[in-house]
Amino acid sequence: MPFPAPRDAAVIDIGSNSVRLVVYRLEGRAIWTVFNEKVLAGLGRDLAKTGRLSPDGVTQTLQALKRFRAVLEAVKPAEVFAVATAAARDAADGPDFIRRVREETGFTVRVLSGEEEAHYAAVGVLAGEPDATGVVGDLGGASLELVRLSATGAGHGVTLPLGPFSLAGPNGASFDAERVRRLSRERIAAVAGDFRTDTFHAVGGAWRNLALLHMRLSGYPLHVVHQYEIGAGEALEAARLVAHQSKSSLERIEGMSKKRSETLPYAAVVLETLIEQLGLKRIEISAYGVREGLLFEAMPPRVRSLDPLIEGCTALGARQGVADDLGAALDAWIAPAFRELPALFGERDGVLVSAACRLADVGVRLHPDHRADLVFEQVLRAPIAGQTHAERCFLAAAAHARHATNFHPPELATLERLLSPAQLKRARALGATIRLACDLSGRSPSLLAHARLSLDKTNLILAADQGFADLLLGEQTNKRANTAAQHLGLKTKIISG
């Protein structure tokens, strides 16, 4: 079956702090960001003080939207979603602003209600992690949306005035941690009983920046925010540290913008309060939110039901090799044998084998002297949803072993920190087995179908159909089979016919 043709979709997100255009390439269920531009216009900066939008923010937003119109006329995506959130929703002059946007830029903007914003944030989290449960918290410039996730999906959501602009002091007063803490406790207390949970899925730029800061402070080696987990105790320490930093101190942090340093202390205090009042045990960062939720809900149900990791790996490897269905053929050939091995990731073992097989052709067009290292880096940090950081490391290690005889990946220390020795050994075995299958068949599913792989207690068993032994079971095949067997702690057994 041919892989779905890519199509582009764009989302314009007019928030209280930022206005953003993101152009996505959709390949089945896989969502890739191909263009992302943000302007920190501060549309809701004056909301708490005046009840109206910031005049400067309106000007900057309209200027940004006119540029976005020019970009979209050149790119011509198949769909455009234009939405606005808390500032346009709550400001007295919000309707006038939306009218001006339509007249001056041609965009018809949908103003999301608080419940709708919470819903799309939760759907976005599910797009990135289908099995997520707990509570989603989406912190924007003016509001915090909370919504519970269960096995049946997103539940009822609420919106609270807990964004930095809603918590700001009167007349541009500087950040006052105790005042913000008091307001946060008062506003969360009314709903805390409905949203107590162990796991909190944090959505929004401020909390992503807080996570990046925590990575630097803890020496965490993999700077990928999606599905980055922080224990509640460590998150509380980081939040309190940020809340007590001066604005100039925050600005000196590498990668911290001036405007983000103004809002981050508010986000830190809100997170501190949520940890205390909701009884949180862990915080998990989601790079997906309202924008991805809009895209995901517009997909057909059949597509939404697919596994994001397998689909993302399929899309990453698509159209690079000799056969688009090689990944599925490798999975069918290898998975039954690997199911005989002890589970190292619980129920996720089968998904990881399937995903690794879909990556078999990634990098085949690169120079062979550098291919293994380049593929390793790409797989480790590819923006593919539905995987923990340990699973990222497992797939990157398998991808390296698929291309390299000697296992010397660029970031071995990262692998050794996030994987157990048994998991790392299994990744090498899986990569070597994929290499065996690819070399045996010339990466042809039709030839692969004439060979079989199995395991017993002591052997990796490779067999070929009658009449195909001379074609498939040569010296190179024996060599690859021995390598795979060695990583599995087994001997090799070759059966001809």
Side-chain angles (χ1 to χ4, degrees):
M1 180 181 296
F3 194 70
R7 65 187 186 89
D8 292 342
V11 179
I12 293 170
D13 182 0
I14 304 172
S16 302
N17 190 32
S18 65
V19 54
R20 188 188 295 261
L21 167 65
V22 187
V23 179
Y24 299 91
R25 179 147 297 162
L26 307 179
E27 295 182 286
R29 195 199 186 287
I31 300 173
W32 308 102
T33 299
V34 295
F35 180 83
N36 188 338
E37 185 169 316
K38 175 183 69 175
V39 176
L40 291 173
L43 191 63
R45 188 181 296 114
D46 300 338
L47 200 58
K49 181 171 59 176
T50 67
R52 300 177 67 82
L53 300 174
S54 160
D56 287 344
V58 168
T59 299
Q60 288 188 57
T61 299
L62 288 170
Q63 288 175 343
L65 291 174
K66 290 172 184 177
R67 169 173 159 71
F68 294 169
R69 166 59 68 188
V71 171
L72 292 177
E73 286 177 353
V75 173
K76 295 180 174 58
E79 295 177 275
V80 177
F81 301 85
V83 296
T85 53
R89 178 172 68 234
D90 297 337
D93 56 344
D96 290 338
F97 167 71
I98 296 300
R99 176 185 53 77
R100 282 191 65 187
V101 169
R102 184 175 60 253
E103 292 175 351
E104 296 183 28
T105 71
F107 290 121
T108 299
V109 176
R110 175 185 174 189
V111 180
L112 300 179
S113 68
E115 286 190 10
E116 288 175 325
E117 189 175 355
H119 170 77
Y120 284 116
V123 172
V125 169
L126 291 172
E129 188 183 354
D131 297 328
T133 58
V135 168
V136 174
D138 183 2
L139 184 66
S143 64
L144 169 70
E145 281 68 45
L146 295 175
V147 60
R148 184 172 290 281
L149 292 178
S150 67
T152 58
H156 177 72
V158 299
T159 184
L160 302 170
L162 285 170
F165 296 149
S166 297
L167 294 169
N171 302 317
S174 59
F175 172 74
D176 181 341
E178 288 309 312
R179 176 183 174 278
V180 173
R181 190 171 288 112
R182 174 178 56 80
L183 289 173
S184 298
R185 287 172 176 166
E186 290 173 358
R187 295 172 185 180
I188 292 171
V191 301
D194 295 329
F195 292 99
R196 291 185 65 84
T197 186
D198 288 346
T199 305
F200 184 77
H201 302 273
V203 176
W207 282 337
R208 287 195 295 273
N209 274 265
L210 195 62
L212 289 169
L213 178 60
H214 181 265
M215 288 178 180
R216 294 190 186 101
L217 293 173
S218 63
Y220 189 77
L222 182 56
H223 287 190
V224 174
V225 294
H226 188 60
Q227 291 191 232
Y228 178 62
E229 273 196 32
I230 315 174
E234 289 188 33
L236 202 56
E237 289 179 11
R240 287 172 176 166
L241 175 67
V242 169
H244 288 89
Q245 294 296 307
S246 67
K247 181 172 174 290
S248 59
S249 295
L250 290 173
E251 287 177 359
R252 286 196 293 270
I253 297 174
E254 182 183 353
M256 184 72 65
S257 71
K258 179 179 179 181
K259 289 189 177 180
R260 185 62 73 189
S261 69
E262 294 172 351
T263 59
L264 194 59
Y266 294 91
V269 172
V270 171
L271 182 60
E272 174 189 336
T273 309
L274 288 166
I275 292 170
E276 294 170 348
Q277 295 199 358
L278 303 188
L280 307 180
K281 294 182 179 178
R282 58 190 161 273
I283 289 83
E284 188 172 294
I285 307 299
S286 175
Y288 282 21
V290 170
R291 293 183 293 274
E292 291 76 17
L294 287 162
L295 296 175
F296 189 61
E297 192 162 89
M299 293 179 183
R302 182 191 63 80
V303 175
R304 293 201 302 269
S305 68
L306 298 172
D307 185 277
L309 178 55
I310 295 174
E311 294 304 300
C313 290
T314 301
L316 189 63
R319 307 178 188 91
Q320 293 194 38
V322 296
D324 287 344
D325 55 348
L326 175 63
L330 290 171
D331 186 14
W333 198 78
I334 292 171
F338 271 67
R339 279 198 291 268
E340 300 299 317
L341 299 171
L344 299 180
F345 289 87
E347 296 179 355
R348 296 286 293 171
D349 279 60
V351 173
L352 291 173
V353 169
S354 295
C357 288
R358 267 68 178 188
L359 296 170
D361 270 343
V362 173
V364 295
R365 300 178 185 179
L366 302 176
H367 193 286
D369 290 351
H370 310 288
R371 183 183 296 145
D373 288 354
L374 293 172
V375 169
F376 174 88
E377 294 285 5
Q378 184 177 8
V379 172
L380 186 64
R381 292 181 173 81
I384 296 175
Q387 56 181 331
T388 66
H389 282 201
E391 291 170 351
R392 282 182 176 277
C393 289
F394 180 88
L395 291 176
H400 189 280
R402 180 263 182 270
H403 291 292
T405 303
N406 297 315
F407 188 73
H408 299 296
E411 298 181 50
L412 182 58
T414 298
L415 302 185
E416 292 176 337
R417 177 166 172 176
L418 297 183
L419 293 175
S420 70
Q423 289 170 335
L424 184 54
K425 188 174 182 180
R426 180 72 58 82
R428 294 183 65 183
L430 178 56
T433 305
I434 293 171
R435 191 176 193 189
L436 160 66
C438 289
D439 286 358
L440 175 150
S441 65
R443 308 209 312 278
S444 165
S446 61
L447 272 180
L448 187 63
H450 291 288
R452 295 175 304 285
L453 180 74
S454 60
L455 306 178
D456 63 22
K457 291 183 179 180
T458 57
N459 296 298
L460 180 149
I461 305 166
L462 185 62
D465 290 344
Q466 190 169 6
F468 283 86
D470 290 342
L471 301 177
L472 298 177
L473 304 181
E475 179 181 351
Q476 180 82 325
T477 299
N478 288 342
K479 181 179 177 182
R480 299 295 184 230
N482 287 335
T483 300
Q486 180 183 357
H487 290 314
L488 290 167
L490 301 173
K491 296 178 181 179
T492 305
K493 184 176 181 181
I494 306 292
I495 301 176
S496 301

